[in-house]
Amino acid sequence: MKSLNKLTNEKGIITALAIDQRGALKRMLGSSASDKSISDFKSIVSKSLTPFASSILLDPEYGLSAAQKRDRSCGLILAYEQTGYDKQEGGRLPDLVPNCSVKKLKEQGADAIKLLIYVDVDESENINTQKEVFVERVGSECVGEDIPFFLEILTYDDTIGNEKGSEFAKVKPKKVINAMKKYSESRFNVDILKVEVPVNMNYVEGYTTNESVYSQKEASSYFKEQSNATHLPFIFLSAGVAPELFQETLKFASESDSRFNGVLCGRATWGGATEGYSEENEKAEDWLKETGINNIINLNDLVNKVATSIK
Protein backbone atom coordinates (compact mmCIF):
# COMPACT_ATOMS: atom_id res chain seq x y z
CA MET A 1 0.00 0.00 0.00
CA LYS A 2 1.15 3.52 -0.76
CA SER A 3 2.19 5.71 2.18
CA LEU A 4 -0.72 7.21 4.09
CA ASN A 5 1.38 8.95 6.72
CA LYS A 6 0.46 12.44 5.49
CA LEU A 7 -3.24 11.61 5.81
CA THR A 8 -3.43 9.98 9.24
CA ASN A 9 -2.88 11.26 12.75
CA GLU A 10 -0.13 10.04 15.09
CA LYS A 11 -2.25 6.99 15.95
CA GLY A 12 -2.60 5.93 12.32
CA ILE A 13 -6.26 6.95 12.22
CA ILE A 14 -7.86 9.17 9.58
CA THR A 15 -9.64 12.15 11.12
CA ALA A 16 -10.28 14.02 7.92
CA LEU A 17 -12.38 17.05 7.07
CA ALA A 18 -14.45 17.06 3.88
CA ILE A 19 -15.37 20.25 2.07
CA ASP A 20 -15.27 19.19 -1.57
CA GLN A 21 -18.98 20.00 -1.95
CA ARG A 22 -19.73 22.20 -4.94
CA GLY A 23 -23.37 22.24 -6.00
CA ALA A 24 -24.52 21.29 -2.50
CA LEU A 25 -22.44 24.05 -0.92
CA LYS A 26 -23.83 26.63 -3.35
CA ARG A 27 -27.33 25.62 -2.28
CA MET A 28 -26.36 25.92 1.38
CA LEU A 29 -24.86 29.38 0.85
CA GLY A 30 -27.78 30.54 -1.28
CA SER A 31 -28.43 30.40 -5.01
CA SER A 32 -26.92 33.86 -5.47
CA ALA A 33 -23.56 32.82 -3.98
CA SER A 34 -20.71 33.70 -6.32
CA ASP A 35 -17.80 31.45 -7.20
CA LYS A 36 -15.64 33.71 -5.05
CA SER A 37 -17.98 33.27 -2.08
CA ILE A 38 -17.80 29.49 -2.39
CA SER A 39 -14.00 29.57 -2.62
CA ASP A 40 -13.68 32.03 0.27
CA PHE A 41 -15.96 29.94 2.49
CA LYS A 42 -13.84 26.87 1.89
CA SER A 43 -10.75 28.89 2.80
CA ILE A 44 -12.31 30.01 6.09
CA VAL A 45 -13.20 26.42 6.97
CA SER A 46 -9.73 25.21 6.03
CA LYS A 47 -7.93 27.86 8.04
CA SER A 48 -10.17 27.39 11.09
CA LEU A 49 -10.45 23.60 11.30
CA THR A 50 -7.40 21.96 9.68
CA PRO A 51 -5.24 22.38 12.81
CA PHE A 52 -7.55 19.68 14.20
CA ALA A 53 -7.76 17.40 11.13
CA SER A 54 -5.34 14.76 9.86
CA SER A 55 -6.23 15.72 6.28
CA ILE A 56 -8.71 17.76 4.28
CA LEU A 57 -10.70 16.82 1.18
CA LEU A 58 -11.12 19.65 -1.31
CA ASP A 59 -11.96 20.05 -5.00
CA PRO A 60 -9.75 21.60 -7.72
CA GLU A 61 -12.56 23.88 -8.92
CA TYR A 62 -13.17 25.99 -5.80
CA GLY A 63 -10.79 24.55 -3.22
CA LEU A 64 -7.22 25.26 -4.27
CA SER A 65 -7.05 28.54 -2.34
CA ALA A 66 -8.38 26.70 0.71
CA ALA A 67 -5.65 24.09 0.24
CA GLN A 68 -3.07 26.84 0.67
CA LYS A 69 -4.74 27.96 3.92
CA ARG A 70 -4.60 24.55 5.59
CA ASP A 71 -2.42 23.82 8.58
CA ARG A 72 1.01 22.53 7.59
CA SER A 73 0.40 19.28 9.50
CA CYS A 74 -2.78 18.55 7.51
CA GLY A 75 -2.62 16.33 4.41
CA LEU A 76 -4.48 17.17 1.20
CA ILE A 77 -6.93 14.93 -0.67
CA LEU A 78 -8.23 16.33 -3.96
CA ALA A 79 -11.47 15.19 -5.61
CA TYR A 80 -11.23 14.06 -9.23
CA GLU A 81 -14.91 13.67 -10.13
CA GLN A 82 -17.34 16.27 -11.38
CA THR A 83 -20.04 17.08 -8.88
CA GLY A 84 -23.44 15.40 -9.26
CA TYR A 85 -24.60 13.38 -12.26
CA ASP A 86 -26.77 13.80 -15.34
CA LYS A 87 -30.36 13.29 -14.17
CA GLN A 88 -31.53 13.00 -17.79
CA GLU A 89 -29.47 9.84 -18.26
CA GLY A 90 -29.96 6.63 -16.31
CA GLY A 91 -27.33 4.98 -14.16
CA ARG A 92 -25.80 7.99 -12.41
CA LEU A 93 -22.65 7.63 -14.51
CA PRO A 94 -19.52 9.44 -13.26
CA ASP A 95 -17.40 11.98 -15.06
CA LEU A 96 -14.11 13.70 -14.26
CA VAL A 97 -13.32 17.37 -13.68
CA PRO A 98 -12.49 18.86 -17.11
CA ASN A 99 -8.86 19.64 -17.93
CA CYS A 100 -7.70 17.54 -15.02
CA SER A 101 -5.58 14.45 -14.40
CA VAL A 102 -4.06 12.64 -11.45
CA LYS A 103 -0.69 14.03 -12.48
CA LYS A 104 -2.05 17.58 -12.44
CA LEU A 105 -3.76 17.10 -9.07
CA LYS A 106 -0.51 15.79 -7.63
CA GLU A 107 1.33 18.81 -9.02
CA GLN A 108 -1.25 21.00 -7.25
CA GLY A 109 -0.19 19.47 -3.94
CA ALA A 110 -2.47 16.45 -3.52
CA ASP A 111 -1.28 13.75 -1.13
CA ALA A 112 -4.15 11.51 -2.29
CA ILE A 113 -6.87 11.38 -4.95
CA LYS A 114 -10.57 10.86 -4.23
CA LEU A 115 -13.14 9.60 -6.71
CA LEU A 116 -16.86 9.38 -5.94
CA ILE A 117 -19.12 6.92 -7.72
CA TYR A 118 -22.79 6.09 -7.27
CA VAL A 119 -23.31 2.33 -7.14
CA ASP A 120 -26.36 0.10 -7.30
CA VAL A 121 -25.16 -3.50 -7.37
CA ASP A 122 -28.57 -4.44 -8.79
CA GLU A 123 -28.30 -2.07 -11.79
CA SER A 124 -27.88 -3.50 -15.28
CA GLU A 125 -24.60 -5.22 -16.13
CA ASN A 126 -23.99 -2.61 -18.82
CA ILE A 127 -24.19 0.30 -16.35
CA ASN A 128 -22.09 -1.39 -13.70
CA THR A 129 -19.42 -2.47 -16.19
CA GLN A 130 -19.06 1.14 -17.36
CA LYS A 131 -18.45 2.23 -13.77
CA GLU A 132 -16.00 -0.58 -13.08
CA VAL A 133 -13.90 0.29 -16.14
CA PHE A 134 -14.01 3.96 -15.14
CA VAL A 135 -12.64 3.16 -11.67
CA GLU A 136 -9.99 0.87 -13.15
CA ARG A 137 -8.69 3.75 -15.27
CA VAL A 138 -8.48 6.15 -12.34
CA GLY A 139 -6.84 3.46 -10.20
CA SER A 140 -4.23 2.89 -12.90
CA GLU A 141 -3.54 6.63 -13.06
CA CYS A 142 -2.96 6.67 -9.30
CA VAL A 143 -0.59 3.69 -9.56
CA GLY A 144 1.31 5.52 -12.30
CA GLU A 145 1.71 8.60 -10.12
CA ASP A 146 2.34 6.57 -6.94
CA ILE A 147 -0.38 8.37 -5.00
CA PRO A 148 -3.06 6.90 -2.70
CA PHE A 149 -6.51 6.35 -4.20
CA PHE A 150 -9.62 6.96 -2.06
CA LEU A 151 -12.82 5.59 -3.57
CA GLU A 152 -16.08 7.01 -2.20
CA ILE A 153 -19.14 4.83 -2.79
CA LEU A 154 -22.69 6.17 -2.48
CA THR A 155 -25.43 3.59 -2.93
CA TYR A 156 -28.84 4.10 -4.52
CA ASP A 157 -31.79 2.35 -6.15
CA ASP A 158 -33.67 4.38 -8.72
CA THR A 159 -36.59 1.95 -8.60
CA ILE A 160 -37.11 3.09 -5.00
CA GLY A 161 -35.76 6.65 -4.94
CA ASN A 162 -35.47 8.60 -1.68
CA GLU A 163 -32.33 7.09 -0.17
CA LYS A 164 -33.39 8.48 3.21
CA GLY A 165 -36.71 6.60 3.33
CA SER A 166 -37.68 3.33 4.98
CA GLU A 167 -37.96 1.33 1.75
CA PHE A 168 -34.36 2.06 0.80
CA ALA A 169 -33.30 1.40 4.40
CA LYS A 170 -34.48 -2.19 3.95
CA VAL A 171 -32.13 -2.82 1.02
CA LYS A 172 -29.26 -0.55 2.07
CA PRO A 173 -27.19 -3.20 3.92
CA LYS A 174 -27.01 -5.42 0.84
CA LYS A 175 -26.23 -2.47 -1.44
CA VAL A 176 -23.41 -1.09 0.75
CA ILE A 177 -21.78 -4.40 1.64
CA ASN A 178 -21.81 -5.87 -1.88
CA ALA A 179 -20.47 -2.63 -3.40
CA MET A 180 -17.58 -2.71 -0.90
CA LYS A 181 -16.82 -6.33 -1.84
CA LYS A 182 -16.77 -5.50 -5.54
CA TYR A 183 -14.49 -2.47 -5.33
CA SER A 184 -12.09 -4.18 -2.94
CA GLU A 185 -10.89 -6.30 -5.87
CA SER A 186 -7.23 -5.72 -6.65
CA ARG A 187 -7.90 -4.66 -10.25
CA PHE A 188 -9.29 -1.34 -9.03
CA ASN A 189 -6.10 -0.40 -7.12
CA VAL A 190 -8.08 1.29 -4.35
CA ASP A 191 -6.12 2.13 -1.21
CA ILE A 192 -8.92 3.45 1.04
CA LEU A 193 -12.67 2.97 0.78
CA LYS A 194 -14.81 5.92 1.89
CA VAL A 195 -18.23 4.43 2.58
CA GLU A 196 -21.64 4.85 4.13
CA VAL A 197 -22.55 3.01 7.29
CA PRO A 198 -24.53 -0.10 6.26
CA VAL A 199 -27.82 0.93 7.85
CA ASN A 200 -29.89 4.07 8.19
CA MET A 201 -29.62 4.78 11.93
CA ASN A 202 -32.89 6.69 11.78
CA TYR A 203 -34.61 3.31 11.39
CA VAL A 204 -32.71 1.35 14.06
CA GLU A 205 -34.73 0.26 17.08
CA GLY A 206 -33.97 2.58 19.98
CA TYR A 207 -32.57 5.31 17.71
CA THR A 208 -35.83 6.34 16.08
CA THR A 209 -39.32 7.57 16.89
CA ASN A 210 -40.45 6.10 13.55
CA GLU A 211 -41.29 2.47 12.94
CA SER A 212 -37.96 0.64 13.01
CA VAL A 213 -36.62 -1.30 10.03
CA TYR A 214 -33.87 -3.07 11.96
CA SER A 215 -33.52 -4.35 15.51
CA GLN A 216 -30.29 -3.32 17.22
CA LYS A 217 -29.06 -6.91 16.88
CA GLU A 218 -29.71 -6.88 13.13
CA ALA A 219 -28.05 -3.49 12.69
CA SER A 220 -25.03 -4.67 14.66
CA SER A 221 -24.69 -7.76 12.47
CA TYR A 222 -24.65 -5.55 9.35
CA PHE A 223 -21.79 -3.45 10.74
CA LYS A 224 -19.84 -6.63 11.44
CA GLU A 225 -20.60 -8.04 7.98
CA GLN A 226 -19.51 -4.78 6.36
CA SER A 227 -16.21 -4.83 8.22
CA ASN A 228 -15.58 -8.41 7.08
CA ALA A 229 -16.45 -7.56 3.46
CA THR A 230 -13.12 -5.92 2.67
CA HIS A 231 -9.41 -6.34 3.34
CA LEU A 232 -8.88 -2.64 2.62
CA PRO A 233 -8.84 0.16 5.19
CA PHE A 234 -12.18 1.96 5.18
CA ILE A 235 -13.53 5.17 6.64
CA PHE A 236 -17.05 6.40 7.23
CA LEU A 237 -18.59 9.48 5.68
CA SER A 238 -21.00 11.53 7.75
CA ALA A 239 -23.62 11.94 4.98
CA GLY A 240 -24.67 15.30 6.39
CA VAL A 241 -26.30 13.91 9.54
CA ALA A 242 -26.26 15.86 12.80
CA PRO A 243 -22.99 15.65 14.78
CA GLU A 244 -24.71 13.91 17.70
CA LEU A 245 -26.19 11.13 15.54
CA PHE A 246 -22.91 10.62 13.69
CA GLN A 247 -21.07 10.16 16.98
CA GLU A 248 -23.71 7.74 18.24
CA THR A 249 -23.36 5.83 14.97
CA LEU A 250 -19.58 5.50 15.41
CA LYS A 251 -20.06 4.21 18.95
CA PHE A 252 -22.57 1.67 17.67
CA ALA A 253 -20.16 0.60 14.91
CA SER A 254 -17.35 0.06 17.41
CA GLU A 255 -19.58 -1.91 19.76
CA SER A 256 -20.52 -4.07 16.74
CA ASP A 257 -16.82 -4.91 16.16
CA SER A 258 -16.49 -2.80 13.02
CA ARG A 259 -12.79 -2.28 12.24
CA PHE A 260 -13.24 1.07 10.51
CA ASN A 261 -10.11 3.23 10.28
CA GLY A 262 -11.48 6.72 10.74
CA VAL A 263 -13.85 9.26 9.25
CA LEU A 264 -14.09 11.87 6.55
CA CYS A 265 -16.63 14.27 8.00
CA GLY A 266 -18.11 17.28 6.24
CA ARG A 267 -21.32 19.13 6.97
CA ALA A 268 -21.69 17.51 10.38
CA THR A 269 -18.64 19.58 11.38
CA TRP A 270 -18.99 22.90 9.55
CA GLY A 271 -22.57 23.01 8.20
CA GLY A 272 -23.84 25.61 10.65
CA ALA A 273 -21.30 28.16 9.43
CA THR A 274 -23.16 28.50 6.13
CA GLU A 275 -26.16 30.12 7.80
CA GLY A 276 -26.09 33.84 7.21
CA TYR A 277 -22.68 33.66 5.53
CA SER A 278 -21.61 36.57 3.37
CA GLU A 279 -18.30 38.00 2.29
CA GLU A 280 -18.98 41.15 4.30
CA ASN A 281 -19.28 39.66 7.80
CA GLU A 282 -17.38 37.35 10.11
CA LYS A 283 -20.30 35.24 11.36
CA ALA A 284 -19.03 32.09 9.68
CA GLU A 285 -15.54 32.47 11.10
CA ASP A 286 -16.93 33.14 14.58
CA TRP A 287 -19.17 30.07 14.37
CA LEU A 288 -16.27 27.89 13.25
CA LYS A 289 -14.00 29.15 16.04
CA GLU A 290 -16.61 28.20 18.61
CA THR A 291 -19.01 25.48 17.46
CA GLY A 292 -16.99 24.13 14.52
CA ILE A 293 -13.82 23.56 16.52
CA ASN A 294 -15.86 22.05 19.33
CA ASN A 295 -17.54 19.69 16.83
CA ILE A 296 -14.27 18.46 15.36
CA ILE A 297 -12.50 18.08 18.72
CA ASN A 298 -15.39 16.05 20.14
CA LEU A 299 -15.46 13.88 17.03
CA ASN A 300 -11.69 13.36 17.08
CA ASP A 301 -11.75 12.35 20.73
CA LEU A 302 -14.34 9.70 19.95
CA VAL A 303 -12.73 8.48 16.72
CA ASN A 304 -9.38 8.04 18.44
CA LYS A 305 -11.11 5.75 20.93
CA VAL A 306 -13.25 3.66 18.60
CA ALA A 307 -11.43 3.49 15.22
CA THR A 308 -8.74 1.03 14.25
CA SER A 309 -5.22 2.18 13.33
CA ILE A 310 -4.08 1.64 9.74
CA LYS A 311 -0.49 1.18 10.92
Side-chain angles (χ1 to χ4, degrees):
M1 182 187 295
K2 305 175 192 74
S3 174
L4 298 168
N5 290 340
K6 291 182 179 179
L7 307 165
T8 61
N9 64 18
E10 65 282 355
K11 293 187 175 183
I13 292 169
I14 294 175
T15 54
L17 177 69
I19 184 162
D20 63 322
Q21 292 83 353
R22 283 151 275 182
L25 181 56
K26 184 177 180 67
R27 290 191 292 274
M28 293 174 77
L29 294 176
S31 58
S32 62
S34 65
D35 289 354
K36 182 178 184 301
S37 290
I38 296 169
S39 179
D40 287 350
F41 181 81
K42 288 174 184 276
S43 292
I44 293 169
V45 171
S46 178
K47 181 179 178 181
S48 301
L49 300 184
T50 54
F52 310 95
S54 66
S55 40
I56 185 171
L57 169 61
L58 289 161
D59 59 282
E61 294 158 294
Y62 300 100
L64 294 180
S65 295
Q68 300 303 315
K69 298 289 176 61
R70 75 187 192 278
D71 189 86
R72 64 176 60 188
S73 67
C74 182
L76 176 62
I77 309 166
L78 284 179
Y80 194 12
E81 81 283 345
Q82 279 190 281
T83 188
Y85 53 87
D86 185 352
K87 293 181 173 61
Q88 305 304 313
E89 184 178 354
R92 305 193 189 189
L93 295 172
D95 206 351
L96 300 177
V97 175
N99 303 317
C100 209
S101 67
V102 170
K103 179 183 283 292
K104 187 171 182 179
L105 293 173
K106 186 176 180 181
E107 289 172 349
Q108 290 169 327
D111 299 306
I113 303 300
K114 188 271 295 188
L115 177 72
L116 180 152
I117 56 168
Y118 292 89
V119 178
D120 177 3
V121 292
D122 300 307
E123 268 275 20
S124 71
E125 183 179 356
N126 175 53
I127 291 292
N128 280 330
T129 298
Q130 288 184 65
K131 293 176 183 178
E132 289 165 25
V133 171
F134 187 87
V135 175
E136 286 175 354
R137 288 172 179 155
V138 174
S140 294
E141 270 197 87
C142 291
V143 169
E145 291 299 326
D146 191 31
I147 191 168
F149 177 25
F150 284 55
L151 181 67
E152 177 176 0
I153 300 171
L154 294 181
T155 57
Y156 71 96
D157 187 326
D158 279 336
T159 66
I160 296 174
N162 185 18
E163 285 84 26
K164 297 186 185 299
S166 61
E167 288 306 304
F168 186 76
K170 294 173 185 176
V171 301
K172 183 176 182 180
K174 173 195 171 187
K175 304 278 190 187
V176 172
I177 292 166
N178 287 346
M180 283 183 66
K181 286 180 180 176
K182 167 58 67 177
Y183 286 98
S184 295
E185 293 176 11
S186 60
R187 64 193 176 102
F188 297 110
N189 290 298
V190 173
D191 294 291
I192 301 284
L193 288 167
K194 179 189 176 193
V195 294
E196 303 162 288
V197 298
V199 300
N200 184 332
M201 293 297 291
N202 287 307
Y203 293 99
V204 176
E205 175 190 23
Y207 288 82
T208 179
T209 56
N210 304 315
E211 183 178 353
S212 60
V213 168
Y214 337 86
S215 68
Q216 290 197 23
K217 184 177 180 180
E218 287 170 328
S220 181
S221 71
Y222 289 133
F223 275 97
K224 180 70 171 176
E225 185 180 353
Q226 177 189 43
S227 187
N228 291 336
T230 183
H231 65 283
L232 296 173
F234 68 98
I235 58 178
F236 286 133
L237 56 93
S238 62
V241 302
E244 297 78 15
L245 179 58
F246 189 50
Q247 292 186 35
E248 287 301 315
T249 302
L250 298 179
K251 291 176 189 175
F252 190 90
S254 175
E255 291 164 359
S256 303
D257 295 325
S258 174
R259 300 186 306 276
F260 69 98
N261 304 101
V263 297
L264 220 168
C265 186
R267 286 167 286 179
T269 300
W270 51 258
T274 62
E275 297 178 15
Y277 169 75
S278 73
E279 296 175 35
E280 291 77 32
N281 64 49
E282 299 176 352
K283 285 184 180 179
E285 195 165 358
D286 291 342
W287 188 94
L288 289 165
K289 286 179 179 177
E290 297 173 13
T291 308
I293 288 175
N294 188 58
N295 284 345
I296 197 169
I297 288 175
N298 288 341
L299 180 60
N300 287 349
D301 287 346
L302 175 61
V303 173
N304 282 325
K305 292 175 185 173
V306 299
T308 302
S309 173
I310 291 175
K311 294 180 180 178

